[in-house]
Amino acid sequence: MSQDSINQDPVNREKGSDAYKNQVELKYQLYNSLFLTLPLDAVEQASLLLPLLEEAGSKGLEEGQTPLDIIDNFLEVHRPGSNERERSNFLFKVIQYVERQVALVDALEDAALVDVQETETANRLRVLMERVERNHLEEKFSRQLDKFGARVILTAHPTQFYPGPVLGIIADLAQAIKCNDVARARDLLQQLGNTPFYNKEKPTPYDEAIQLSWYLSNIFYPVFGEIIDSLTKMPGVNEDIASHVLSVGFWPGGDRDGNPFVTTDTTRRVAEKLRSNILGCYHRDIRELKRRLSFSGVHEELTSIEQTLYSELSGEVEECFSSIDEILARLDKLVAIIRDQHQGLYLDLLLSFRRKIRIFGFHFASLDIRQDSRVLRNIFNTVREQTPGLLPDDFDQLPEAERIDKLLAIKGEVDLSQFDDALLLDTFECLRAIKDIQKRNQEAACHRYIISNCAGALDIATLIALFRLAGWADEELTVDMVPLFETIRDLRSAGESMKFLYEFEPYQRHL
């Protein structure tokens, strides 16, 4: 049965609906009633009045009342004699209660995901792989997969996410619900009730990146590993093919267009945090591997690798391994030992760990840089005004193709000591930082510069010129220029712009 037929089958849809009612809706009544029994300040009072507030809101809006009138009328009836501070406190308690109800539902849905979404039977990848095997299309599948790649982008919108402590509670609560551990669930609900859902201070761009990186370590790291493991079981799909199928792009800390407070220091710190997080995942996995790979000659080497990783995590050394190839080479020796001397016992665990290293390297996710084309344009024009001879005097009157050619011919690093504009200086520092990040965490760590509101080929050529002026030599410009066409006008001409770039001979060396 194909995935489409599974999705369209009314019987399967009904099963999913029934599972949601049983696993989420009914359990919500149980755990929410448990929540109401907890010794939390004013939670019971807020929960009792919430349905009445909802009804008053719906009725008031239908009658044309303003939100302020609805709240005032409701409080006059249900909180008579209360002063302004007491009313504000009550409404704040209502918000607190609703926030925790939403968190409870999230935990219930996480716990019921397998049953509600039927992930075992309605797995698109699994259905595809079964179809490939059934029709003996392994060779064709392998060729197609070798040309395929999917990148999940984590964008910089931290308001959509829970604070880190709350995420941890929800994950533990989902596990307790799965195990029907009511006592533990009660304790976690009480912890949830006493844990703030807000930050007392506005989070910095670095704080935002920290919050979002939780998903990398706790969701993407294990899930990507499972997907790649399943792919490598297919005939013809080796690790070289599977390792580039999935990747992650990371915008927090690099998205200057989305957050004007992002600086080069932020970008560098986020790159280091991503490196630290992935090393922490490797260190944790190594410790788990040692529980099974206790064989002579294997356990000792795993311990050595564990200690090497820890030496960087603890700050003893700046760099634990010189390259990913170094750690892969050490693991390859262990693979050979387990195959030759230990009957291949638990070899699948070691190979799975090795695949994760190939996927995530030392970078974990690719830190994407993004800036508005108008900002880049203004910065370049400022440099141009202060750098005589950089471009011909009649540059602005030249046809577009000639202007692009002139921009791509720019060589030599600009002297920044003559500038005092903070944005200009930080932009150039960022361009230079990309090279440093690539050197430390390898090219995949930071290799995309996204141009927001890109108007066409000229904006891409301008960015290439800025890279040159920041000290990048032509042969070492290992950065993808990604045009983001956003306006209706630019979208209409996007195809023509890209076609021009791909056919423009001087640009070919930058593709």
Side-chain angles (χ1 to χ4, degrees):
M1 180 180 290
S2 69
Q3 176 65 37
D4 290 338
S5 63
I6 289 174
N7 289 339
Q8 295 169 6
D9 187 347
V11 175
N12 283 292
R13 287 202 306 271
E14 186 176 349
K15 285 181 180 179
S17 177
D18 290 342
Y20 191 88
K21 290 178 181 178
N22 295 329
Q23 299 293 331
V24 179
E25 293 181 6
L26 290 179
K27 285 189 175 181
Y28 169 76
Q29 302 299 329
L30 167 65
Y31 286 100
N32 192 49
S33 62
L34 188 65
F35 184 56
L36 297 180
T37 66
L38 298 174
L40 298 172
D41 182 28
V43 67
E44 184 175 5
Q45 187 179 57
S47 66
L48 291 175
L49 291 178
L50 185 59
L52 300 176
L53 179 57
E54 180 184 10
E55 182 181 356
S58 299
K59 184 177 179 180
L61 290 173
E62 289 177 0
E63 295 175 352
Q65 297 182 37
T66 67
L68 184 60
D69 290 337
I70 293 171
I71 295 296
D72 285 340
N73 293 337
F74 176 82
L75 293 175
E76 286 293 335
V77 174
H78 297 283
R79 305 283 292 181
S82 57
N83 58 37
E84 188 67 25
R85 182 178 182 83
E86 290 170 336
R87 289 185 170 196
S88 298
N89 286 340
F90 168 73
L91 292 174
F92 184 71
K93 292 300 178 184
V94 169
I95 294 172
Q96 282 186 308
Y97 174 62
V98 171
E99 284 178 331
R100 283 148 183 82
Q101 281 185 311
V102 174
L104 173 57
V105 171
D106 282 344
L108 287 164
E109 289 181 338
D110 288 347
L113 179 66
V114 173
D115 294 327
V116 173
Q117 299 296 330
E118 297 183 311
T119 57
E120 296 300 318
T121 58
N123 185 306
R124 186 179 294 271
L125 179 60
R126 178 175 297 175
V127 170
L128 174 62
M129 291 169 63
E130 290 174 353
R131 183 179 175 185
V132 167
E133 290 184 293
R134 187 167 58 249
N135 295 299
H136 307 292
L137 298 170
E138 290 88 352
E139 185 177 344
K140 184 176 181 181
F141 177 72
S142 175
R143 290 199 305 269
Q144 291 298 320
L145 200 63
D146 194 28
K147 298 182 289 184
F148 175 82
R151 172 170 288 189
V152 181
I153 305 296
L154 300 184
T155 57
H157 299 290
T159 55
Q160 298 174 359
F161 303 103
Y162 294 113
V166 176
L167 285 170
I169 297 172
I170 292 175
D172 293 340
L173 182 57
Q175 190 60 39
I177 292 169
K178 282 182 184 179
C179 301
N180 293 315
D181 190 343
V182 178
R184 176 164 171 73
R186 185 183 186 279
D187 290 342
L188 289 167
L189 285 171
Q190 185 167 353
Q191 182 185 358
L192 191 68
N194 287 303
T195 301
F197 277 51
Y198 61 90
N199 297 302
K200 293 183 178 180
E201 297 180 359
K202 183 178 180 179
T204 66
Y206 181 73
D207 294 331
E208 296 169 1
I210 296 297
Q211 290 179 355
L212 198 54
S213 67
W214 184 93
Y215 292 90
L216 286 175
S217 300
N218 294 277
I219 305 296
F220 289 95
Y221 180 76
V223 170
F224 275 31
E226 292 172 9
I227 293 173
I228 299 305
D229 286 347
S230 66
L231 286 174
T232 54
K233 293 177 183 177
M234 294 287 293
V237 180
N238 55 39
E239 286 192 2
D240 289 335
I241 294 175
S243 61
H244 67 245
V245 170
L246 294 173
S247 61
V248 186
F250 199 78
W251 283 23
D255 183 7
R256 284 149 171 76
D257 185 42
N259 191 330
F261 298 105
V262 172
T263 65
T264 300
D265 179 64
T266 306
T267 302
R268 291 182 183 275
R269 290 179 65 199
V270 171
E272 281 300 305
K273 179 60 179 176
L274 291 173
R275 178 184 174 99
S276 175
N277 279 6
I278 192 57
L279 292 181
C281 289
Y282 294 158
H283 183 261
R284 182 183 62 210
D285 274 8
I286 284 282
R287 292 175 65 87
E288 289 297 319
L289 281 171
K290 288 172 58 180
R291 295 168 63 89
R292 294 292 171 265
L293 300 177
S294 54
F295 319 130
S296 176
V298 176
H299 191 270
E300 294 84 355
E301 178 67 358
L302 287 176
T303 299
S304 175
I305 295 174
E306 175 196 353
Q307 292 172 345
T308 304
L309 290 168
Y310 183 75
S311 66
E312 180 174 332
L313 291 170
S314 63
E316 295 176 17
V317 299
E318 184 177 346
E319 191 174 83
C320 55
F321 291 100
S322 60
S323 68
I324 285 296
D325 289 338
E326 180 184 349
I327 187 172
L328 289 176
R330 294 178 66 171
L331 293 178
D332 285 341
K333 292 179 181 179
L334 298 183
V335 169
I337 293 174
I338 294 172
R339 279 177 175 159
D340 297 341
Q341 302 178 24
H342 304 289
Q343 303 79 47
L345 186 60
Y346 297 128
L347 180 60
D348 57 326
L349 300 179
L350 183 60
L351 291 176
S352 177
F353 174 63
R354 189 182 183 282
R355 292 181 196 114
K356 289 178 183 174
I357 292 177
R358 293 198 62 177
I359 298 170
F360 298 111
F362 288 145
H363 63 282
F364 211 160
S366 296
L367 183 57
D368 292 341
I369 309 300
R370 185 168 75 123
Q371 183 57 281
D372 191 283
S373 63
R374 292 161 294 191
V375 173
L376 297 174
R377 212 176 297 141
N378 290 337
I379 288 172
F380 179 80
N381 287 335
T382 300
V383 173
R384 177 187 165 191
E385 292 171 2
Q386 297 295 321
T387 312
L390 184 65
L391 289 172
D393 293 338
D394 63 345
F395 174 80
D396 293 326
Q397 283 72 49
L398 296 174
E400 182 179 37
E402 292 186 36
R403 280 185 284 165
I404 291 175
D405 199 15
K406 298 294 183 184
L407 287 170
L408 296 179
I410 288 177
K411 296 186 184 298
E413 191 170 352
V414 68
D415 179 12
L416 295 178
S417 63
Q418 58 185 315
F419 302 100
D420 57 6
D421 181 86
L423 180 58
L424 182 148
L425 294 172
D426 185 75
T427 298
F428 273 94
E429 284 302 313
C430 176
L431 297 176
R432 292 169 175 172
I434 295 173
K435 186 188 297 186
D436 296 335
I437 293 171
Q438 287 189 358
K439 183 178 180 180
R440 176 159 169 76
N441 297 342
Q442 299 190 317
E443 182 180 323
C446 189
H447 66 102
R448 302 205 318 174
Y449 202 114
I450 301 166
I451 308 172
S452 298
N453 286 301
C454 184
L458 197 62
D459 284 338
I460 301 176
T462 299
L463 178 58
I464 293 174
L466 287 172
F467 268 103
R468 295 267 188 74
L469 294 169
W472 285 76
D474 195 33
E475 65 277 2
E476 64 179 8
L477 188 49
T478 52
V479 181
D480 299 327
M481 317 295 165
V482 183
L484 195 59
F485 301 103
E486 299 184 73
T487 68
I488 298 298
R489 183 190 64 183
D490 294 338
L491 284 168
R492 283 174 178 161
S493 60
E496 183 180 343
S497 296
M498 296 308 296
K499 184 173 184 293
F500 172 80
L501 285 172
Y502 278 96
E503 293 179 351
F504 187 53
E505 190 278 329
Y507 184 75
Q508 296 302 310
R509 60 183 179 272
H510 301 285
L511 296 180

